[in-house]
Amino acid sequence: MTLKPIFDAIEKSAHRIRDAITNEDLCYSEQCNATGDMQLKLDIQSDLIIAEEFSKISAIKAIASEEKEEAEILHENGKYMIAYDPLDGSSLIDVNLSVGSIFGIYDGEFQAKKMLASVYVVYGPRLEMVTAYKGSVRHFIFRHGKFMEQETIKLKEKGKLNAPGGTQQHWPKHHKQMVDSLFNEGYRLRYSGGMVPDLHQILLKGGGLFSYPGTTDKPEGKLRKLFEVFPFAFVYETAGGEAIDNKGHRLLELPCDDPHETTPCFFGSKYEISKVKEAYGV
Ligand code: F6P
């Protein structure tokens, strides 16, 4: 069976979420999500939209949302498992910066080694969708009523952008040295605080480094394996880049024992990742 119905459901959700972002108010709900972040009403609404679209597909066995504590079984006899972050970076909507939805599609188990495809949607000045599947990263822009396919995304060996996440005050010394050494080589700072647009920018501009290290206050980093890290690791590797943790392991080789587990993470083209390995001594 192909993943087409799943990609179509993501496309439908993207339009509905785009409408909600445009029209709904931005107030906070009374709830926190599983990681303790305050939820916007829009986070909850986006989650409901996606769950509703996926529930129509009998091939989907289970879904896990960043907004919910536990995974949910949809169809016992289904084959695919999907983990998603319905509206990543939603706290940036009030200042009108880009946000996104992130999806990882797995074969029967929420483990990186079982990942079949990943997809993300960017809600920015334009609506865009990127899919990583069967060895290629395809890029679509919504224009004149439909998603139009653009050139396939491929990373160069070396880029020009540096997107360092986390609070500098809490960075380990070797991490700061690595970030500074890239700036000293002429890299330019590009960081919005939205993982989707920040990683999308590096992919489309040919390369660079996005880092979210382990810090003194958050030794295991902030970004969640299942909802943010694995899907982007899949995109970066498929595009010819690399994605590793602070020990030099491929992110796609890390186990995931809890749906909300986090990890330090580095995504980039080959040159920048070699600099990370050098700085971390791995
Ligand atoms: O996990 C949510 C998120 O907003 C990501 O989209 C983003 O990369 C990260 O948090 C930003 O965190 P910080 O503000 O600590 O760099």
Side-chain angles (χ1 to χ4, degrees):
M1 194 203 133
T2 91
L3 297 186
K4 173 101 174 42
I6 296 177
F7 293 150
D8 289 347
I10 292 175
E11 194 178 320
K12 276 192 209 137
S13 310
H15 293 300
R16 293 179 62 190
I17 294 172
R18 163 61 114 193
D19 274 356
I21 295 172
T22 308
N23 298 307
E24 299 301 328
D25 76 39
L26 277 181
C27 52
Y28 279 93
S29 69
E30 303 290 293
Q31 294 161 235
C32 283
N33 67 13
T35 327
D37 304 326
M38 280 293 285
Q39 281 175 311
L40 286 172
K41 283 191 179 163
L42 261 179
D43 289 317
I44 300 171
Q45 199 178 340
S46 306
D47 186 28
L48 289 173
I49 290 172
I50 293 169
E52 191 185 307
E53 293 298 340
F54 283 162
S55 66
K56 297 176 192 162
I57 302 173
S58 59
I60 302 178
K61 185 184 173 95
I63 53 176
S65 164
E66 195 257 340
E67 298 300 333
K68 295 208 190 84
E69 190 81 43
E70 302 285 342
E72 193 185 326
I73 300 288
L74 289 186
H75 306 280
E76 275 297 349
N77 297 326
K79 169 177 166 62
Y80 302 113
M81 315 263 279
I82 306 179
Y84 61 94
D85 186 346
L87 203 52
D88 187 76
S90 56
S91 64
L92 298 172
I93 296 178
D94 60 355
V95 289
N96 206 16
L97 285 174
S98 298
V99 292
S101 302
I102 310 170
F103 304 84
I105 304 164
Y106 301 82
D107 186 2
E109 217 187 329
F110 284 123
Q111 292 295 339
K113 57 181 192 313
K114 294 282 192 173
M115 188 172 256
L116 297 170
S118 72
V119 179
Y120 66 85
V121 176
V122 191
Y123 310 96
R126 302 195 295 197
L127 181 63
E128 300 190 31
M129 186 166 80
V130 172
T131 63
Y133 183 44
K134 290 193 170 164
S136 63
V137 181
R138 298 171 70 188
H139 176 208
F140 303 85
I141 300 181
F142 189 71
R143 291 176 63 207
H144 305 299
K146 63 176 190 179
F147 272 109
M148 314 262 243
E149 185 155 9
Q150 313 295 304
E151 257 179 54
T152 304
I153 298 178
K154 287 206 182 76
L155 281 162
K156 298 189 180 121
E157 282 289 307
K158 182 179 186 312
K160 294 183 179 145
L161 308 183
N162 192 5
T167 313
Q168 292 203 28
Q169 187 193 8
H170 300 302
W171 285 351
K173 204 166 154 209
H174 55 282
H175 182 77
K176 179 161 174 41
Q177 280 164 355
M178 184 273 297
V179 171
D180 287 347
S181 76
L182 288 178
F183 286 132
N184 291 338
E185 276 187 47
Y187 279 75
R188 276 170 292 157
L189 174 66
R190 292 290 183 270
Y191 190 76
S192 73
M195 186 182 191
V196 175
D198 287 337
L199 282 161
H200 185 58
Q201 177 163 213
I202 291 171
L203 283 164
L204 292 193
K205 304 280 185 195
L209 179 70
F210 175 98
S211 49
Y212 207 108
T215 51
T216 47
D217 58 337
K218 288 183 186 145
E220 292 310 313
K222 173 182 184 188
L223 299 177
R224 286 149 282 222
K225 288 179 178 176
L226 213 52
F227 306 114
E228 293 160 315
V229 172
F230 291 164
F232 271 109
F234 198 83
V235 172
Y236 268 65
E237 286 199 358
T238 308
E242 289 186 48
I244 61 166
D245 71 0
N246 54 335
K247 299 188 180 88
H249 299 131
R250 280 178 65 224
L251 294 167
L252 291 176
E253 273 169 12
L254 300 182
C256 184
D257 300 323
D258 177 281
H260 294 275
E261 212 166 75
T262 61
T263 177
C265 52
F266 304 85
F267 305 85
S269 16
K270 294 206 183 292
Y271 174 79
E272 293 83 15
I273 295 293
S274 74
K275 290 282 153 190
V276 174
K277 289 182 180 162
E278 215 174 282
Y280 276 73
V282 292

